[in-house]
Amino acid sequence: MTHINESAENYLETILILSKKLPVVRAVDISEELGFKKSSVSVAMKNLRERNYILVNKSGFITLTEEGGAIANMILERHELLTSWLVSLGVDEKTAAEDACKMEHVISQQSFDAMKRHVLKSS
């Protein structure tokens, strides 16, 4: 997997989350979910499309490519595990989710895998 920036990872994760809730995902849905201007989202979608992380059809419906989906699933897994781990340590849910969102982009795969083994063994 190639390295991509935190912003791109967040967009891919958001597309994945929205695709589980909505019949189709459009730029306006991403804009509303993240609270970003539609113009900013359009630029990001163009970049993700050029890097082959997403496909956008003629109707403007956005889907993840295999590579985009793999990145999105990795980030979402990190987010969910880190959030639940922080909550189990006594951090309130809102703070845990905010901190997990920061941590999910910087933690190495090795450290995340070790943390995941520990969390799963403890539960």
Side-chain angles (χ1 to χ4, degrees):
M1 223 177 301
T2 56
H3 179 74
I4 66 169
N5 66 31
E6 182 177 329
S7 173
E9 289 178 345
N10 278 334
Y11 276 111
L12 294 173
E13 180 185 22
T14 299
I15 293 165
L16 177 62
I17 291 166
L18 288 173
S19 71
K20 293 178 179 192
K21 296 192 288 194
L22 302 172
V24 294
V25 178
R26 301 162 303 155
V28 66
D29 302 316
I30 298 164
S31 175
E32 288 172 5
E33 181 75 14
L34 296 174
F36 294 165
K37 290 181 186 163
K38 192 166 181 314
S39 57
S40 301
V41 172
S42 293
V43 169
M45 293 306 104
K46 179 179 181 283
N47 290 335
L48 291 175
R49 194 177 64 244
E50 287 172 353
R51 294 182 73 176
N52 200 35
Y53 294 134
I54 63 167
L55 300 171
V56 183
N57 74 9
K58 287 181 176 28
S59 301
F61 301 157
I62 299 164
T63 54
L64 296 166
T65 62
E66 190 174 330
E67 187 176 6
I71 294 166
N73 279 300
M74 176 196 71
I75 295 299
L76 184 59
E77 178 190 28
R78 288 178 175 197
H79 183 87
E80 290 172 346
L81 185 111
L82 291 165
T83 300
S84 64
W85 176 64
L86 291 168
V87 168
S88 76
L89 295 176
V91 178
D92 70 88
E93 185 111 17
K94 183 178 185 296
T95 303
E98 289 170 357
D99 288 346
C101 197
K102 296 170 192 151
M103 295 164 66
E104 68 198 26
H105 303 287
V106 295
I107 191 170
S108 70
Q109 191 62 48
Q110 181 183 0
S111 293
F112 178 75
D113 289 343
M115 183 183 290
K116 183 177 169 181
R117 282 192 303 275
H118 176 76
V119 168
L120 295 176
K121 188 172 67 177
S122 302
S123 55

